Amino acid sequence: MFKHLTTAVLCFALSVTTTISSAADPIVIKFSHVVAENTPKGQMANKFKELVETRLGDRVKVEIYPNSQLFGDNKVLEAMLLGDVQMAAPSLSKFSRYTKKLALYDLPFLFEDMEAVDRFQQSPAGEKLLKSVERKGLVGLGYLHNGMKQLSASNKLRSPNDARGQKFRIMSSDVLEEQFKAVSAMPLKKPFSEVFTLLQTRAIDGQENTWSNIYSKKFFEVQPYITESNHGLLDYMVVTSKEFWSELPADTRGELEQALSEAISHGNEVAAQKSVSDRQKITDSRRSEIVALTAAERAQWVEAMKPVWKKFEKKIGKDLIDAAYASNQ
Ligand code: SIN
């Protein structure tokens, strides 16, 4: 009897100690991403860490893992649902296993500029899309910009005919696959971490990306031409898991939301600056020629790629496509 009682008392004492010590431990947020630190997303993540640790340092610790150090494109969302990472900001093109709706953002020539993107994302339809991943256990915390995509290649791309038969790396998106098929090119879905080597070894001929990714990952050093096509959008959704987010104390969650909103504004400013400054650095390097399209040449790309919209109208929803397109006015 005495022995049983001692064991029970010991167990109780142990569990109290565990609870107390875990209550004192800070919450750890592992933030995993695939780009360099000197990019809009890298700078946003670092700003988030700085703000959170200044304001909540004793309660929350943020660990940033850039450059696919912890998880690459294909694994990060699975890892999030398993609780191995708490935050990430994959490009909107990488959510196809979680929702079909975000494919909207991949439609070629949908948005004329980043102001149109902002107008749409801030509209009720755009905000609703942040919730499209909830059914799969994810919480969309906000959009973050990178910018418009350009086409880099080993040969000069002026007209869609120049892309015929060329291999292009794409993100894991069916819309992007159809976009390149529309110009008789060969799209290959590959993780971001492999792009430089694929280009360098000439295993592929080209890829599409923003000025900041082309610059920070040195694609311009192994691609002699970059066509300034502004044909598509590279934007991100900052996400967490429903399980992690809902278990946070409400006041901590509120502080994290505030810090994230400020970090996203900072990231968006960096995106706007880098779309100009990284383009200029590439020009100055003379490693890659920037090919400017005439209005007539650009119109050929639009004509070749725009039929892709129709193919995805059912999956995405015509109303949504119309609403996004209307944000150009
Ligand atoms: C990123 O900006 O997160 C990567 C984009 C890509 O995979 O091309």
Side-chain angles (χ1 to χ4, degrees):
M1 165 74 181
F2 176 72
K3 196 172 154 213
H4 282 156
L5 214 85
T6 320
T7 317
V9 168
L10 251 170
C11 285
F12 175 72
L14 243 163
S15 83
V16 167
T17 318
T18 316
T19 318
I20 289 171
S21 75
S22 62
D25 284 344
I27 295 160
V28 176
I29 298 182
K30 291 188 181 167
F31 192 137
S32 171
H33 67 82
V34 298
V35 290
E37 289 193 81
N38 193 20
T39 55
K41 183 161 50 183
Q43 294 292 299
M44 181 281 285
N46 290 355
K47 177 60 107 186
F48 177 66
K49 176 181 169 70
E50 177 196 313
L51 293 174
V52 170
E53 294 191 351
T54 308
R55 295 170 190 175
L56 309 170
D58 51 340
R59 283 189 276 155
V60 185
K61 188 169 172 325
V62 181
E63 295 173 1
I64 313 279
Y65 298 91
N67 293 310
S68 310
Q69 265 168 28
L70 190 60
F71 293 105
D73 298 324
N74 302 334
K75 289 273 173 269
V76 73
L77 295 176
E78 275 170 46
M80 183 169 281
L81 293 173
L82 292 172
D84 293 335
V85 61
Q86 287 68 42
M87 279 176 100
S91 88
L92 296 170
S93 316
K94 293 177 184 167
F95 283 92
S96 59
R97 288 175 56 200
Y98 301 85
T99 170
K100 299 285 170 235
K101 296 284 171 195
L102 291 176
L104 168 80
Y105 288 104
D106 283 337
L107 295 176
F109 299 103
L110 179 63
F111 296 106
E112 280 165 18
D113 49 37
M114 297 309 290
E115 286 71 36
V117 176
D118 271 333
R119 280 192 290 275
F120 175 68
Q121 290 180 343
Q122 288 160 17
S123 74
E127 284 190 356
K128 197 170 158 205
L129 280 179
L130 286 175
K131 299 194 184 304
S132 62
V133 290
E134 276 187 5
R135 275 185 321 123
K136 300 282 182 164
L138 297 171
V139 180
L141 296 170
Y143 292 109
L144 168 73
H145 294 332
N146 187 321
M148 290 293 179
K149 289 181 290 185
Q150 321 301 336
L151 289 166
S152 80
S154 42
N155 67 332
K156 210 180 257 196
L157 303 176
R158 281 209 163 277
S159 82
N161 254 340
D162 300 327
R164 180 176 286 272
Q166 304 283 304
K167 292 191 199 120
F168 285 89
R169 175 270 174 173
I170 54 164
M171 294 180 273
S172 54
S173 147
D174 293 345
V175 174
L176 299 180
E177 188 167 39
E178 288 302 322
Q179 168 193 280
F180 279 101
K181 284 186 178 165
V183 294
S184 306
M186 293 158 63
L188 296 162
K189 291 180 180 172
K190 294 283 180 191
F192 187 59
S193 56
E194 291 178 23
V195 181
F196 180 83
T197 309
L198 290 168
L199 293 172
Q200 190 184 36
T201 57
R202 295 289 176 107
I204 55 172
D205 304 294
Q207 61 88 46
E208 51 165 16
N209 234 305
T210 56
W211 292 114
S212 77
N213 279 348
I214 295 173
Y215 179 72
S216 61
K217 286 291 174 188
K218 302 190 182 339
F219 300 159
F220 71 103
E221 294 186 0
V222 288
Q223 291 272 266
Y225 301 102
I226 306 172
T227 296
E228 189 161 31
S229 50
N230 292 311
H231 64 281
L233 172 72
L234 175 58
D235 249 35
Y236 307 111
M237 190 195 280
V238 185
V239 276
T240 185
S241 80
K242 230 192 224 175
E243 194 179 335
F244 171 72
W245 203 240
S246 63
E247 283 174 6
L248 289 173
D251 59 336
T252 307
R253 199 164 47 231
E255 300 256 27
L256 291 174
E257 275 166 356
Q258 179 57 34
L260 185 64
S261 150
E262 291 172 40
I264 286 178
S265 298
H266 175 68
N268 286 345
E269 278 167 27
V270 173
Q273 285 158 14
K274 285 196 164 288
S275 64
V276 177
S277 62
D278 286 352
R279 181 191 180 285
Q280 188 59 45
K281 286 179 191 156
I282 293 171
T283 309
D284 295 345
S285 77
R286 297 173 187 272
R287 298 289 290 266
S288 191
E289 179 185 333
I290 297 179
V291 181
L293 297 176
T294 64
E297 285 167 342
R298 193 164 188 274
Q300 288 180 38
W301 289 91
V302 176
E303 194 187 325
M305 288 179 164
K306 221 167 153 184
V308 170
W309 293 23
K310 199 84 200 153
K311 293 196 174 173
F312 290 89
E313 206 175 84
K314 263 216 179 101
K315 276 190 182 152
I316 296 170
K318 189 171 180 327
D319 288 359
L320 205 53
I321 299 177
D322 289 345
Y325 189 60
S327 67
N328 289 309
Q329 284 107 43

